[in-house]
Each structure stands twice: as structure tokens, then as C-alpha cells.
Amino acid sequence: MNRWVKSVVDIAVIVALVIATKTAIAEPYYVPSGSMEPTLQIGDELLATKYPYGYSSASLPVFVTLPESKRILGSLPRRGDVVVFRWPGDRSQIWVKRVVGLPGDRIEMKDGHLWINGAPVGLQADGVGQNESEDGSQEPVGRFIETLPGDRTHTIFKHATIGQFDNTPEVVVPNGRLFVMGDNRDNSADSRIPLEWGGVGLLPVSDLVGRVDALVGSWDMTAKSQPVWEWPAALRLSRFFTAVK
């Protein structure tokens, strides 16, 4: 009986340590969609570092879903941070986007061009990229280098056509909220789209899980339809342990 009790205690301690680590330090997540291409690809495994923004009920491991709570040891992201958060429409879902607007910022879209505080952000053409869909199909798409205030740069995809959310009225980001967008601008449900329409709306800071600093792995998800012995060839080794910016 003592051995059995000791085994149960040992397992409980291990589980508690795993949960504590995932809550306080970092937790891995898979990318299921192309909304953050080209920065993140479908099948990437990213690591969300949790301590930069403090902790709330959103910081608990993904399988634990509790109501929204205030943050402790909290701090705001920087513009340009790629963040993981619990989607306000269903807190069991984990989404990833880029922060482009902080409390007090004025955000507007004009003809697909992001404006912050009355000025257009830097945007430079960078050739053509390949937009990958969940079924593995690809299509050419315009590739641009975007420069946010503070000189933080990243790459975005943008189709040539003007879409429904390429022109939006100016929004002032209120306290406790963030404006987030996907880098794949024509394939992202983000803060341009109200929550009731399936977007993010203005993201509550309390829903932040953590900051994406690196990829720990990547796998071409279309390989699932191939024979098992071909799966290792689908590993994108060049993306393993690479920084995300």
C-alpha cells in the first residue's frame, strides 16, 4: 500500500510541476491556419513565453479554461509583438496575431494600408510570396515589409484587390485593450472584425497568454494524407528553433 501511495504522490508531483511550468514559463502551440503567413506557417509549433505580460486565468495550460480574471505582474506588449491569446468568443480556443495598436492608439485601414495615430506605417514591396491554404494548395500573393512605429519591421502578405476590411473607420484603442492583426492581411479574422462576426474585436489584455519568441518545430500538415513512412520528410528542419519577429 505504501508503494502505491508513493507512486500516486510521485505522479501528482510530476503533473503539478508540468502544469506549473506551462503556467509560469512557456507552453507550445501548433499553428492550424495561415492567418499569420508568412511569419508563421501552417504546422509550425511555436513557444509562447508567458512571463513578459504577467499572469491571469488565461495563462493556465490550454486544457484549463476559467473565466476572465485580472492580471498580476502585468505589462503591455510592444507594437509588433506576436502574441498568443484566448479568443474572447470561446476561451478554450487559442489564437495568435500581431499587436499593432496599444491603448490610446488611433487605428485605421485605408485601401489596405495600416494607419496609426494619423500616419501611414512604412510599407515596402518585397516581391511575391506563396500563400498556403489548409489543403496544401498555394497561390502567389504580394509580399511587403511593414514598419511599425518604433522601427519594428515584419513581412506581410497582401492580395492586390481591396477587400471588405481594407477600409475601416478610425478606432481609438481603449485602456485594457489591444488591436491585433494577422500578417496574412486578406486571410485573418482579427481586430478589424467584430467579435460577433467571428473576429477578435479589441482584444482584452487579460486574455493574453504569452509572447511568441521562437519556433520549436514545423511539419507540413498535408503529409497526413501520405504513407506513414513518408512523414519524416515533411519535417521543415530549417524552421526548427528559429526566432519569430
Side-chain angles (χ1 to χ4, degrees), residues 5-29:
V5 171
K6 183 177 184 301
S7 296
V8 171
V9 171
D10 288 345
I11 292 172
V13 169
I14 291 171
V15 171
L17 287 173
V18 169
I19 291 176
T21 299
K22 285 189 171 185
T23 299
I25 303 176
E27 187 171 6
Y29 300 93

Side-chain angles (χ1 to χ4, degrees), residues 12-239:
V13 169
I14 291 171
V15 171
L17 287 173
V18 169
I19 291 176
T21 299
K22 285 189 171 185
T23 299
I25 303 176
E27 187 171 6
Y29 300 93
Y30 278 100
V31 177
S33 75
S35 70
M36 279 296 292
E37 292 178 355
T39 304
L40 301 176
Q41 296 182 11
I42 300 170
D44 281 350
E45 184 179 12
L46 55 85
L47 192 65
T49 308
K50 297 190 174 182
Y51 54 83
Y53 309 138
Y55 304 96
S56 71
S57 59
S59 307
L60 293 167
V62 63
F63 56 85
V64 181
T65 303
L66 294 178
E68 183 179 341
S69 71
K70 293 183 178 180
R71 301 193 78 80
I72 59 173
L73 305 176
S75 62
L76 288 173
R78 297 170 57 204
R79 287 193 204 90
D81 282 0
V82 177
V83 298
V84 169
F85 57 91
R86 291 185 184 258
W87 181 49
D90 178 357
R91 289 172 55 78
S92 68
Q93 294 187 30
I94 302 296
W95 288 25
V96 57
K97 304 291 180 190
R98 187 182 299 275
V99 175
V100 299
L102 301 175
D105 282 345
R106 293 178 287 119
I107 307 296
E108 183 178 6
M109 294 294 294
K110 294 183 179 181
D111 295 331
H113 197 153
L114 174 63
W115 286 55
I116 300 178
N117 296 328
V121 302
L123 196 65
Q124 179 181 354
D126 190 42
V128 176
Q130 292 295 320
N131 178 46
E132 182 182 10
S133 300
E134 283 78 1
D135 62 3
S137 62
Q138 295 188 351
E139 63 172 331
V141 63
R143 179 184 171 103
F144 297 85
I145 304 297
E146 188 173 75
T147 303
L148 298 176
D151 291 329
R152 295 193 68 179
T153 63
H154 56 273
T155 306
I156 67 169
F157 279 169
K158 187 74 187 74
H159 293 266
T161 56
I162 300 298
Q164 180 179 3
F165 301 104
D166 282 341
N167 286 285
T168 61
E170 185 177 84
V171 173
V172 179
V173 183
N175 287 335
R177 301 277 176 155
L178 301 168
F179 199 104
V180 297
M181 296 182 71
D183 289 348
N184 194 349
R185 291 292 162 81
D186 295 319
N187 185 27
S188 176
D190 48 41
S191 289
R192 295 171 295 176
I193 304 173
L195 185 62
E196 57 269 24
W197 293 2
V200 177
L202 294 170
L203 176 68
V205 172
S206 57
D207 283 332
L208 287 174
V209 172
R211 184 181 67 204
V212 180
D213 292 322
L215 301 179
V216 294
S218 185
W219 189 65
D220 183 351
M221 301 294 284
T222 61
K224 290 187 295 184
S225 62
Q226 303 300 320
V228 173
W229 56 84
E230 294 187 11
W231 287 6
L235 292 172
R236 303 186 185 113
L237 297 179
S238 64
R239 295 184 66 78

